[in-house]
C-alpha cells in the first residue's frame, strides 16, 4: 500500500523538506544544491547532507559546508574540581586569552572543540570551580564555538514546536500541547472525513493530514483568496496525500447551507484580483520557510500559494498541445497563458464543486477550527455539515469568545458534553542532584472548546417501534455471586 | 462498530456509550434481546437501539431519554472498567504527538494496564500499524485481549503476558516508538532499545515520582539515547457560568446634582444593583499531578 510506506526514504535527498536543529532551535528548509541557507547567524550549504541518513549530526566547516560528525565518546571526567566558590574572585582576568586571540583562532579555521579546550586551559579559575560549574562552563562554551546541526525529518512534533518558538503570531499562539489535545479530542484518524477551518499557516491542516496518513478526506475551508499552506508544505507529504484534500471558500458556506450554491458561480473579485497580480511577469516567489524571520501578511502568503499553483499548472501544461491562434497578431505566449489560466480555473472549480458535494452529504466525522476569527458564527454554520455523535474542537487564543460560543451552542442544541479547557506545560531539567522545573508555560497556549454532536430530530427517534422483537420478559435475573 | 472506523448505525455486538447528561455516562455492550437499566427506565436493545443512528435520542421506559454515542478512545477512557490507575486524554495527547505516532507506526507498550492508552494508540496507528503490548499480570493481559476482540481491533494489537524488565517486548527492531508505564522503567530501557528499529525511534516513560524519572534519565543516557526531555502536562477545565456581583451602595449623592445620564436614578436605587458577566470558573478541586513524561530519541547517526 502506498500510503503505508514511510514518507520519503531513509536518506536525505535533493528537494526534500527537512528540519535543521541546533540545540533547541529548529528551522524548516528545502534541500537544494548550491543554495545558501542561513541558520542561527551562519551560512550553510546543504549539498553534503544529500545521501546521508535522517538524524545525522553535522559540523559546519569553513565556507558553510557540512561535515558529518562522528559520535563522540564522552570526555573523561575533569580531574580536579573545587568544593565551593569561596575563593573565586571575579576580577575579569581569569581568562588569559584575549578577544583578539580567540578571533585569530577562528580565522585559522581551528575546530570549535579545540577552541573550547584552549579556553579551559587558559582559564585560571576553571580548576577551582565545582564539578557542576565546570560542566556548565564547558556546555556554555561548546554552544558558542561548536556549530553542530542535526538534520531531521519533519513531523507535527517538530514543526509545531518550531512554529510556537519562531512564529507564534502566525499560528494564533497555538502551543504544541494544545495542538496535541485538538488532534486527540477530535479523534483524528485514518479513513475519516474531517472539516478544518484554520488560519495557522496550514500547520493544523498538516497535523491532521499526518494523523490521517493519506486515508480518508479533508475539506479545508478558507477565508479570502485561497488557503495558506506554508506550514503544510514543510511536512513534505507525498503527492497522494493531497489527492483527498479539498478546499472550499468560507464565504460560500451560507449559500451551501441555504441550498443556493452553484459551482458555476463566478470567482469572487478578490480571487480574480489575486490572479491578475500573480500574472505579472515573474513574481519572486516568497518562500515562507526560509523567510521565517520576515513578517508577511496573509495576502502575500496566499499569493505565494497562487504562484505555486501556477507553477504546477505550467508544468502540467507543458506537455499539452497548443492550438494555433487564428489571431495572427497574438503573442503565442499570451495565448498559452490564457489557456493555462482557463485550465487552472476549471480545475479549481471542479475541486470546489467536489468539496461542496462532500460537505452537502452532511456526514463529516469531525470539525476542527483554529483561526483568528470569532468562533461562534463559524461553529453554528459548520456543525450543520457534521454527522451526529462526532467530536468537534474549537481553538481560540482567548477564553472569552469561547464562553460566548459555549452559551450559544447550549441555546442552539445539537451538541452535548461540551468542555472548555486549557493545558499547562512544564518542562524539567533532570540531572543528578540538580533536578528542578525549567520554566512554566502558562497563558499564551490558547483555549479549547470541544464537544460531541447529537441528532436534532427529536420526534422521529422518539417513536417506539412497535415491531415484535426477541425481548425477554422483563424480569430480574439473580446472579449468583461466586465466592472468589 | 469498530474503534478505528466510524459507522452510522448501531449493530448487534457493538460497544456503545449511554449518555445521561452532566458528565454521567456508561458503556454498554449491544446485544439482541438484552436490556439496560438507567435512572430513566429500561432500554431494550432490539427495539430501542439496534439499527438506530449513533447520536440519536432514545426514550426509556419511564419517559426520560438518553443519547447513544459512538465509542471513541476518549469516551472509552472516561468509562472503562479500571483494573489499574489509567492515563487520561491530556497525557495521551502529548504522548501521541511526541512519539510521532501516525497510521503505519509500530508501537511497543508496557504495561497494558486497563488499556486506556492502548485504545488511543491503536486508533492512531490503524489501519497499517501495529501495537505490541506487554502486561505481566495474567488476568489483566487476558482481560485486555478480550476487550480488543470486543472492540474489533484485535488484528491491530498483540498482547503478551510477560515481564518486560526481564523478557522485553518479545519483538526486536520493529518499533517506531516505545512507551513505558511501569514502576521501574530504567530496567526496561535496554529492552526498549532492542525493540526499536535499527534506524532508531522515539521512547516515552511515564512516572509519578521524580526519583523514578532521575533513574530513567540516567539509564537513557547510558544506552545512548539523545534529546532527553522531561515534561508534565496539566489539564485545566473551566465551568462556564454567569456570575453576578452586587454593586455596593456607597450612599446617595446628597444635594450635589450628578451629571446628566448618570446611573444614580430613582430606579437603580429601588432594584438591588448587580453586574452580570460570563466567566470560566475553575473547579474547586482539580488534578494537580498525574506523572512526569520523559521522552528521548534513539538515533544511529
Amino acid at each position: 500500500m502506498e500510503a503505508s510506506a514511510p514518507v520519503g526514504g531513509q536518506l536525505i535527498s535533493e528537494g526534500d523538506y527537512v528540519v535543521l536543529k541546533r540545540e533547541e532551535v529548529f528551522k524548516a528548509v528545502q534541500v537544494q544544491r548550491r543554495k545558501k541557507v542561513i541558520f542561527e547567524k551562519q551560512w550553510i550549504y546543504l549539498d553534503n547532507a544529500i545521501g546521508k541518513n535522517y538524524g545525522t549530526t553535522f559540523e559546519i566547516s569553513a565556507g558553510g559546508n557540512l561535515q558529518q560528525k562522528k559520535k563522540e565518546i564522552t570526555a573523561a571526567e575533569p580531574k580536579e574540581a573545587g568544593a565551593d566558590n569561596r575563593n573565586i574572585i571575579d576580577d575579569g582576568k581569569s581568562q588569559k586569552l584575549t578577544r583578539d586571540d580567540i578571533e585569530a583562532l577562528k580565522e585559522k579555521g581551528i575546530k570549535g572543540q579545540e577552541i573550547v579546550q584552549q579556553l579551559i586551559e587558559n582559564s585560571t579559575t576553571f580548576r577551582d570551580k565545582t564539578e557542576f560549574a565546570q560542566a556548565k562552563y564547558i556546555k556554555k562554551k561548546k554552544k558558542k564555538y561548536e556549530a553542530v546541526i542535526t538534520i531531521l525529518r519533519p513531523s507535527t512534533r517538530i514543526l509545531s514546536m518550531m512554529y510556537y518558538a519562531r512564529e507564534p503570531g502566525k499560528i494564533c499562539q497555538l502551543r504544541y500541547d494544545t495542538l496535541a489535545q485538538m488532534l486527540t479530542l477530535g479523534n483524528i484518524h485514518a479513513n475519516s472525513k474531517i472539516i478544518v477551518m484554520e488560519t495557522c499557516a496550514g500547520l493544523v491542516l498538516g497535523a491532521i493530514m499526518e494523523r490521517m496518513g493519506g486515508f480518508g478526506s479533508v475539506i479545508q475551508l478558507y477565508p479570502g483568496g485561497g488557503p495558506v499552506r506554508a506550514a503544510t508544505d514543510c511536512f513534505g507529504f507525498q503527492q497522494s496525500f493531497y489527492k483527498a484534500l479539498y478546499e472550499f471558500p468560507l464565504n460560500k458556506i451560507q449559500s451551501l447551507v441555504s441550498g443556493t450554491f452553484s459551482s458555476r458561480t463566478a470567482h469572487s473579485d478578490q480571487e480574480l484580483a489575486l490572479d491578475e497580480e500573480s500574472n505579472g511577469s515573474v513574481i519572486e516567489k516568497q518562500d515562507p520557510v526560509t523567510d521565517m524571520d520576515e513578517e508577511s501578511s496573509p495576502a502575500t502568503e496566499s499569493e505565494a500559494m497562487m504562484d505555486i499553483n501556477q507553477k504546477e499548472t505550467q508544468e502540467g501544461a507543458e506537455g499539452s498541445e497548443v492550438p494555433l491562434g487564428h489571431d495572427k497578431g497574438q503573442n503565442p505566449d499570451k495565448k498559452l497563458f490564457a489557456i493555462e489560466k482557463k485550465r487552472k480555473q476549471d480545475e479549481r472549480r471542479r475541486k470546489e464543486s467536489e468539496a461542496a458535494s462532500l460537505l452537502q452529504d452532511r456526514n463529516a466525522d469531525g470539525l476542527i477550527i483554529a483561526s483568528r476569527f470569532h468562533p461562534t458564527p463559524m461553529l453554528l454554520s459548520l456543525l450543520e455539515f457534521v454527522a451526529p455523535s462526532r467530536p468537534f474542537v474549537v481553538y481560540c487564543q482567548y477564553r472569552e469568545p469561547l464562553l460566548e460560543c459555549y452559551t450559544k451552542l447550549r441555546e442552539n442544541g445539537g451538541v452535548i458534553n461540551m468542555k472548555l479547557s486549557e493545558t499547562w506545560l512544564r518542562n524539567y531539567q533532570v540531572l543528578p542532584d540538580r533536578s528542578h522545573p525549567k520554566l512554566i508555560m502558562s497563558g499564551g497556549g490558547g483555549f479549547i472548546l470541544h464537544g460531541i454532536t447529537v441528532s436534532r430530530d427529536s420526534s422521529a427517534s422518539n417513536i417506539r417501534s412497535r415491531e415484535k422483537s426477541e425481548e425477554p420478559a422483563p424480569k430480574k435475573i439473580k446472579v449468583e455471586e461466586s465466592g472468589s | 462498530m469498530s474503534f478505528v472506523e466510524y459507522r452510522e448505525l448501531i449493530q448487534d455486538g457493538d460497544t456503545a456509550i449511554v449518555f445521561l447528561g452532566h458528565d454521567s455516562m456508561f458503556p454498554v455492550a449491544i446485544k439482541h434481546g438484552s436490556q439496560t437499566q438507567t435512572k430513566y427506565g429500561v432500554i431494550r436493545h432490539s427495539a430501542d437501539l439496534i439499527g438506530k443512528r449513533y447520536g440519536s435520542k432514545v426514550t426509556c421506559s419511564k419517559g426520560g431519554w438518553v443519547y447513544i454515542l459512538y465509542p471513541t478512545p476518549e469516551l472509552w477512557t472516561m468509562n472503562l472498567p479500571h483494573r489499574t490507575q489509567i492515563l487520561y486524554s491530556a497525557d495521551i495527547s502529548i504522548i501521541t504527538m511526541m512519539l510521532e505516532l501516525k497510521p503505519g507506526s509500530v508501537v511497543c507498550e508496557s504495561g497494558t494496564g486497563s488499556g486506556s492508552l492502548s485504545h488511543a494508540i491503536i486508533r492512531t496507528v490503524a489501519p497499517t500499524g501495529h501495537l505490541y503490548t506487554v502486561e505481566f499480570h495474567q488476568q489483566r493481559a487476558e482481560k485486555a485481549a478480550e476487550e480488543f476482540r470486543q472492540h474489533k481491533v484485535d488484528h491491530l494489537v498483540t498482547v503478551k503476558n510477560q515481564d518486560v524488565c526481564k523478557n522485553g517486548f518479545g519483538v526486536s527492531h520493529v518499533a517506531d516508538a516505545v512507551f513505558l508505564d511501569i514502576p521501574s522503567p530504567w530496567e526496561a530501557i535496554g529492552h526498549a532499545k532492542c525493540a526499536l528499529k535499527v534506524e532508531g525511534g522515539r521512547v516515552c516513560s511515564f512516572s509519578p515520582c521524580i526519583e523514578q524519572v532521575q533513574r530513567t534519565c540516567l539509564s537513557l543516557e547510558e544506552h545512548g539515547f539523545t534529546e532527553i526531555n522531561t515534561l508534565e502536562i496539566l489539564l485545566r477545565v473551566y465551568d462556564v457560568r454567569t456570575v453576578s456581583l452586587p454593586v455596593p451602595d456607597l450612599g446617595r449623592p446628597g444635594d450635589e446634582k450628578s451629571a446628566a445620564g448618570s446611573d444614580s436614578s430613582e430606579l437603580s436605587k429601588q432594584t438591588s444593583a448587580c453586574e452580570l458577566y460570563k466567566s470560566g470558573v475553575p473547579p474547586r478541586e482539580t488534578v494537580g499531578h498525574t506523572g512526569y513524561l520523559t521522552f528521548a530519541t534513539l538515533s544511529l547517526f
Side-chain angles (χ1 to χ4, degrees):
Chain A
M1 227 177 206
E2 194 190 3
S4 65
V7 183
Q10 271 311 309
L11 303 180
I12 300 163
S13 44
E14 195 177 358
D16 278 8
Y17 286 91
V18 301
V19 177
L20 311 179
K21 174 180 184 281
R22 182 180 168 185
E23 300 279 332
E24 300 301 306
V25 185
F26 296 107
K27 178 169 182 148
V29 295
Q30 190 177 14
V31 178
Q32 286 169 326
R33 284 187 198 274
R34 293 176 301 284
K35 186 175 179 243
K36 261 188 184 179
V37 174
I38 192 162
F39 179 45
E40 291 283 271
K41 298 176 195 154
Q42 277 184 301
W43 291 105
I44 304 169
Y45 288 98
L46 294 173
D47 299 53
N48 290 349
I50 295 168
K52 300 282 195 307
N53 286 281
Y54 275 99
T56 306
T57 302
F58 298 91
E59 274 180 294
I60 305 165
S61 52
N65 285 310
L66 298 178
Q67 250 184 338
Q68 188 165 349
K69 196 172 189 298
K70 295 278 175 288
K71 274 220 163 172
E72 45 176 277
I73 303 102
T74 39
E77 288 292 295
K79 296 172 207 71
E80 290 178 83
D84 54 44
N85 60 7
R86 74 184 69 187
N87 297 322
I88 296 179
I89 300 144
D90 182 10
D91 54 5
K93 295 178 193 159
S94 57
Q95 182 53 253
K96 290 280 174 280
L97 291 178
T98 62
R99 184 187 291 264
D100 295 344
D101 294 341
I102 297 167
E103 284 303 319
L105 288 176
K106 276 205 227 168
E107 293 287 306
K108 280 185 204 161
I110 284 178
K111 274 201 171 156
Q113 216 172 326
E114 282 169 34
I115 296 178
V116 175
Q117 201 51 47
Q118 293 262 10
L119 286 168
I120 291 170
E121 279 165 21
N122 288 290
S123 163
T124 50
T125 50
F126 186 80
R127 268 184 272 169
D128 302 331
K129 287 179 195 277
T130 63
E131 250 178 79
F132 296 157
Q134 285 180 353
K136 205 167 168 179
Y137 181 89
I138 293 170
K139 198 179 161 192
K140 219 162 87 181
K141 297 300 174 204
K142 269 191 171 177
K143 193 173 167 177
K144 194 169 174 184
Y145 296 103
E146 282 188 36
V148 172
I149 65 160
T150 306
I151 299 188
L152 302 169
R153 191 194 300 283
S155 68
T156 302
R157 167 179 75 101
I158 293 166
L159 293 174
S160 60
M161 288 171 86
M162 177 186 85
Y163 262 94
Y164 188 72
R166 295 179 82 106
E167 296 276 359
K170 272 193 188 149
I171 56 166
C172 312
Q173 311 278 339
L174 171 67
R175 209 202 297 129
Y176 47 95
D177 54 314
T178 312
L179 176 60
Q181 301 303 310
M182 293 173 70
L183 296 166
T184 297
L185 297 170
N187 192 21
I188 305 299
H189 62 282
N191 293 316
S192 37
K193 178 171 161 182
I194 304 295
I195 301 173
V196 56
M197 161 59 210
E198 63 122 280
T199 58
C200 297
L203 177 71
V204 176
L205 173 69
I208 290 169
M209 285 167 74
E210 185 185 84
R211 285 286 169 93
M212 292 177 67
F215 304 95
S217 53
V218 185
I219 304 132
Q220 183 184 13
L221 302 169
Y222 61 87
V228 178
R229 290 179 185 162
T232 321
D233 292 340
C234 298
F235 282 82
F237 291 125
Q238 58 208 65
Q239 217 41 54
S240 65
F241 278 41
Y242 289 95
K243 282 197 190 106
L245 170 61
Y246 300 87
E247 55 266 5
F248 190 81
L250 196 62
N251 60 15
K252 291 182 188 172
I253 282 292
Q254 221 41 58
S255 66
L256 207 58
V257 173
S258 60
T260 56
F261 172 80
S262 87
S263 55
R264 290 273 145 252
T265 321
H267 283 298
S268 64
D269 294 354
Q270 198 175 357
E271 275 179 273
L272 280 172
L274 274 168
D275 276 353
E276 293 303 320
E277 271 180 71
S278 56
N279 290 351
S281 51
V282 185
I283 288 185
E284 186 89 25
K285 193 181 117 257
Q286 250 220 358
D287 188 347
V289 185
T290 48
D291 291 351
M292 272 298 207
D293 313 308
E294 276 184 42
E295 270 305 314
S296 60
S297 63
T300 51
E301 274 191 279
S302 49
E303 256 178 66
M305 254 293 305
M306 294 284 172
D307 276 345
I308 294 165
N309 275 356
Q310 212 171 304
K311 270 198 177 164
E312 281 170 6
T313 44
Q314 267 173 351
E315 281 161 20
E318 269 171 358
S320 66
E321 276 185 67
V322 185
L324 283 169
H326 302 291
D327 200 354
K328 284 196 176 97
Q330 200 170 28
N331 184 343
D333 267 5
K334 265 194 178 162
K335 184 82 178 161
L336 185 73
F337 202 86
I339 291 167
E340 268 164 41
K341 196 170 158 183
K342 178 95 175 65
R343 272 173 58 113
K344 198 174 83 177
Q345 275 183 355
D346 287 350
E347 172 66 15
R348 196 187 295 169
R349 218 168 264 152
R350 192 180 60 78
K351 267 271 197 188
E352 191 174 288
S353 60
E354 276 178 16
S357 74
L358 280 174
L359 287 168
Q360 274 163 328
D361 293 340
R362 296 177 186 246
N363 66 350
D365 295 317
L367 170 63
I368 303 276
I369 298 177
S371 79
R372 55 194 162 84
F373 299 104
H374 200 300
T376 309
M378 278 195 296
L379 245 191
L380 291 175
S381 292
L382 298 180
L383 278 173
E384 297 279 326
F385 302 110
V386 182
S389 195
R390 299 290 186 269
F392 67 89
V393 187
V394 194
Y395 167 82
C396 189
Q397 196 182 328
Y398 311 102
R399 197 169 61 172
E400 291 74 9
L402 292 180
L403 294 174
E404 188 195 311
C405 202
Y406 181 101
T407 315
K408 280 266 169 33
L409 282 174
R410 257 286 165 73
E411 290 165 10
N412 210 43
V415 294
I416 54 162
N417 208 30
M418 278 196 291
K419 293 262 191 309
L420 174 57
S421 68
E422 161 190 32
T423 46
W424 288 1
L425 188 71
R426 197 166 200 185
N427 278 288
Y428 286 81
Q429 167 179 300
V430 180
L431 289 167
D433 302 326
R434 283 159 293 165
S435 299
H436 56 74
K438 260 190 208 161
L439 73 163
I440 184 93
M441 290 170 72
S442 177
F447 299 84
I448 278 177
L449 176 67
H450 68 99
I452 303 167
T453 57
V454 286
S455 287
R456 307 182 64 155
D457 52 319
S458 46
S459 52
S461 57
N462 270 2
I463 300 161
R464 286 285 282 286
S465 53
R466 290 267 168 254
E467 290 167 43
K468 264 189 87 82
S469 57
E470 327 140 43
E471 290 290 329
K475 95 180 150 190
K476 287 221 169 101
I477 299 157
K478 212 171 182 183
V479 182
E480 281 188 32
E481 297 261 339
S482 58
S484 58
Chain B
M1 177 231 59
S2 149
F3 270 59
V4 295
E5 215 163 319
Y6 283 116
R7 291 263 190 288
E8 196 186 348
L9 304 178
I10 304 167
Q11 295 171 347
D12 188 20
D14 282 4
T15 298
I17 307 289
V18 177
F19 183 85
L20 302 148
H22 298 296
D23 278 357
S24 143
M25 46 186 154
F26 60 89
V28 60
I30 310 285
K31 197 162 169 285
H32 260 300
S34 70
Q35 41 185 327
T36 300
Q37 297 288 347
T38 72
K39 59 181 178 184
Y40 302 120
V42 75
I43 305 171
R44 302 192 204 301
H45 293 201
S46 304
D48 303 337
L49 301 180
I50 295 172
K52 292 270 179 357
R53 205 175 180 195
Y54 275 105
S56 38
K57 228 179 218 181
V58 172
T59 311
C60 307
S61 59
K62 290 182 191 166
W65 43 262
V66 297
Y67 283 109
I68 304 293
L69 300 180
Y70 197 93
T72 63
E74 286 58 58
L75 285 173
W76 182 245
T77 290
M78 285 190 270
N79 294 291
L80 56 80
H82 284 223
R83 301 182 282 274
T84 55
Q85 179 62 264
I86 65 162
L87 281 168
Y88 289 95
S89 293
D91 286 297
I92 289 172
S93 308
I94 197 93
I95 290 164
T96 308
M97 184 164 100
M98 290 295 185
L99 287 180
E100 301 186 344
L101 305 186
K102 51 183 187 263
S105 298
V106 176
V107 187
C108 289
E109 176 202 29
S110 186
T112 315
S114 308
S116 171
L117 175 69
S118 314
H119 279 85
I121 293 174
I122 292 166
R123 172 266 314 275
T124 303
V125 305
T128 47
H130 201 85
L131 171 66
Y132 295 93
T133 184
V134 175
E135 170 63 54
F136 68 178
H137 187 286
Q138 195 190 336
Q139 257 183 316
R140 287 205 288 255
E142 283 166 8
K143 198 82 190 74
E146 191 188 316
E147 268 170 15
F148 296 140
R149 272 194 301 279
Q150 263 172 7
H151 299 156
K152 301 184 181 63
V153 293
D154 47 320
H155 58 293
L156 295 162
V157 54
T158 308
V159 185
K160 279 206 172 62
N161 175 214
Q162 61 189 40
D163 183 350
V164 73
C165 297
K166 289 197 177 69
N167 314 102
F169 292 94
V171 288
S172 58
H173 303 308
V174 296
D176 297 290
V178 173
F179 175 80
L180 294 167
D181 179 5
I182 52 173
S184 52
W186 57 91
E187 291 177 2
I189 299 297
H191 295 297
K193 193 176 174 175
C194 285
L196 285 168
K197 283 178 178 165
V198 180
E199 59 265 31
R202 297 273 294 163
V203 305
C204 171
S205 168
F206 174 93
S207 297
C209 307
I210 197 76
E211 291 82 358
Q212 294 168 297
V213 175
Q214 198 105 38
R215 297 175 79 164
T216 306
C217 286
L218 278 176
S219 176
L220 283 166
E221 202 146 359
E222 278 166 19
H223 283 95
F225 284 83
T226 54
E227 274 194 284
I228 302 167
N229 172 28
T230 301
L231 54 85
E232 175 182 35
I233 190 164
L234 269 184
L235 179 69
R236 312 261 308 166
V237 177
Y238 299 101
D239 293 330
V240 181
R241 289 216 203 113
T242 305
V243 182
S244 69
L245 294 181
V247 177
D249 178 12
L250 301 176
R252 290 171 58 203
D255 301 329
E256 289 170 43
K257 270 273 179 278
S258 51
S262 89
D263 225 21
S264 58
S265 61
E266 291 298 307
L267 189 79
S268 68
K269 180 167 55 89
Q270 281 157 7
T271 57
S272 60
C274 271
E275 284 284 335
L276 287 178
Y277 68 95
K278 282 237 166 297
S279 173
V281 185
R284 254 177 47 77
E285 266 195 352
T286 182
V287 176
H289 177 69
T290 51
Y292 300 104
L293 291 163
T294 301
F295 295 94
T297 301
L298 181 67
S299 168
L300 244 193
F301 315 101

